Amino acid sequence: MRFAAVLNRDGGTLRTTDLSAFSDQMRRTLEAAGHSIDIDIVAGKDIVATLDSIASKRSVDIVLAGGGDGTISAAAARLMGGKKALAILSAGTMNLFARGLGIPQTLDAAVKSFADGEVIAVDVATANGQPFVHQFSIGLHARMVQLRQNMEFGSRLGKMQASARAAWATIKNPSAMKVTLVIGEAEIVTRTTGIGVTNNLFGEGHLPYADNPAGGVLGIYVTVAQQRGELVRFLFDIARGRWRASQHVEIHQADRVVLKIHSAGRKFRAVMDGELGGLDRETTIEIHPGALNVLVPVRSAQAKAA
């Protein structure tokens, strides 16, 4: 196969990696397996333009994207609905989409798995037409990300510590919003401190990622916790992957949901695949089954097929 790699030198663990040495090793590993590869190492500000250029090349079979959540999401958006496959080189903090695909979390192990990997089709979701591969969220999560952006950290551990501080600041002063969710024929009007809509349902007993990335459904998680103690227990349940057992979240599933914001006088934000952005007063979220080809380790392809 013909690989084209785009490495975000400003993204996640790649910032502290000797990218010249790593690129040489990646080339040797893939060429030894009979593949060819071109490698671009670019600044974060140039990622989108580079991905646009590579996605348009007919000579490329696999686009290998290395970076954090933003890099992976941008690559998936450009490959959605096409024949080229995405190979994910995880360099973010949690790498939840890659975990759901069974891709190794270390750089060298991931590259080795690509050498004899297989291409499978998985789902992508969109929010008002904008693709995401993991989660769209409002409320608690968006506030946490917004607070974390104002903190300084220079490493993966530092980011995790900043996330913990932002989480505590958020639950100390929680705010609720009035929303309507239209799920199929049902219309749910509620006040909530947070909603997450996920590309397939999260699995149980582990970090929040989908066990089946080709399940064909959105997971809709509505936080019913309002008080500080309830929110602490809710976050603890998330950390343990106890979604169905939690008393502080309502779970729905559908192939389409419409989210309407009624709370007036406030500007709310949304997080898509870890990136903070604006929130429209009405957002339509849909699942697109099998819309993205991904390169995964052989054992993961066999497990998904089973």
Side-chain angles (χ1 to χ4, degrees), residues 98-285:
R99 288 178 188 269
L101 296 173
I103 296 172
Q105 295 300 292
T106 62
L107 300 179
D108 289 339
V111 172
K112 289 177 182 177
S113 78
F114 297 148
D116 62 351
E118 292 187 13
V119 174
I120 64 172
V122 298
D123 306 336
V124 177
T126 55
N128 283 352
Q130 184 176 348
F132 64 94
V133 294
H134 177 59
Q135 179 175 255
F136 169 97
S137 58
I138 63 172
L140 285 172
H141 187 206
R143 179 59 179 159
M144 288 164 56
V145 173
Q146 189 172 16
L147 289 173
R148 189 182 64 201
Q149 285 189 343
N150 296 324
M151 301 177 183
E152 294 184 1
F153 51 87
S155 66
R156 181 176 179 178
L157 177 60
K159 184 176 180 180
M160 293 173 69
Q161 292 171 336
S163 295
R165 295 196 300 271
W168 178 241
T170 299
I171 63 177
K172 281 200 304 182
N173 186 29
S175 60
M177 60 181 73
K178 184 179 180 181
V179 303
T180 294
L181 288 167
V182 181
I183 306 171
E185 299 298 321
E187 185 172 283
I188 302 169
V189 181
T190 186
R191 286 187 64 82
T192 179
T193 51
I195 295 175
V197 183
T198 62
N199 180 23
N200 287 291
L201 289 162
F202 287 155
E204 293 286 314
H206 54 63
L207 291 170
Y209 59 81
D211 286 337
N212 182 5
V217 296
L218 298 169
I220 304 156
Y221 298 84
V222 183
T223 309
V224 297
Q226 300 283 338
Q227 304 301 317
R228 185 184 302 176
E230 295 174 336
L231 290 166
V232 170
R233 288 191 290 273
F234 170 64
L235 293 177
F236 188 54
D237 287 339
I238 291 177
R240 295 185 296 167
R242 296 188 60 196
W243 294 98
R244 296 189 184 95
S246 177
Q247 300 177 354
H248 305 297
V249 61
E250 295 177 354
I251 304 174
H252 308 271
Q253 64 183 66
D255 57 9
R256 182 177 186 270
V257 59
V258 179
L259 170 65
K260 302 177 183 179
I261 308 297
H262 299 299
S263 297
R266 293 187 58 189
K267 184 177 181 181
F268 293 103
R269 310 294 297 276
V271 172
M272 288 180 58
D273 288 343
E275 298 293 315
L276 188 68
L279 175 64
D280 295 330
R281 286 288 168 174
E282 182 170 319
T283 304
T284 298
I285 305 171

Side-chain angles (χ1 to χ4, degrees), residues 291-303:
L292 178 67
N293 292 323
V294 291
L295 183 66
V296 299
V298 172
R299 64 181 184 279
S300 295
Q302 293 171 341

Side-chain angles (χ1 to χ4, degrees), residues 1 3 21-35 37 64 87-90 102-118 295-300:
M1 293 184 291
F3 284 75
F22 172 68
S23 296
D24 289 342
Q25 181 59 49
M26 179 165 57
R27 188 183 306 278
R28 287 193 294 269
T29 298
L30 293 177
E31 289 182 350
H35 308 295
I37 183 169
L64 192 158
I88 300 173
L89 200 59
S90 303
I103 296 172
Q105 295 300 292
T106 62
L107 300 179
D108 289 339
V111 172
K112 289 177 182 177
S113 78
F114 297 148
D116 62 351
E118 292 187 13
L295 183 66
V296 299
V298 172
R299 64 181 184 279
S300 295

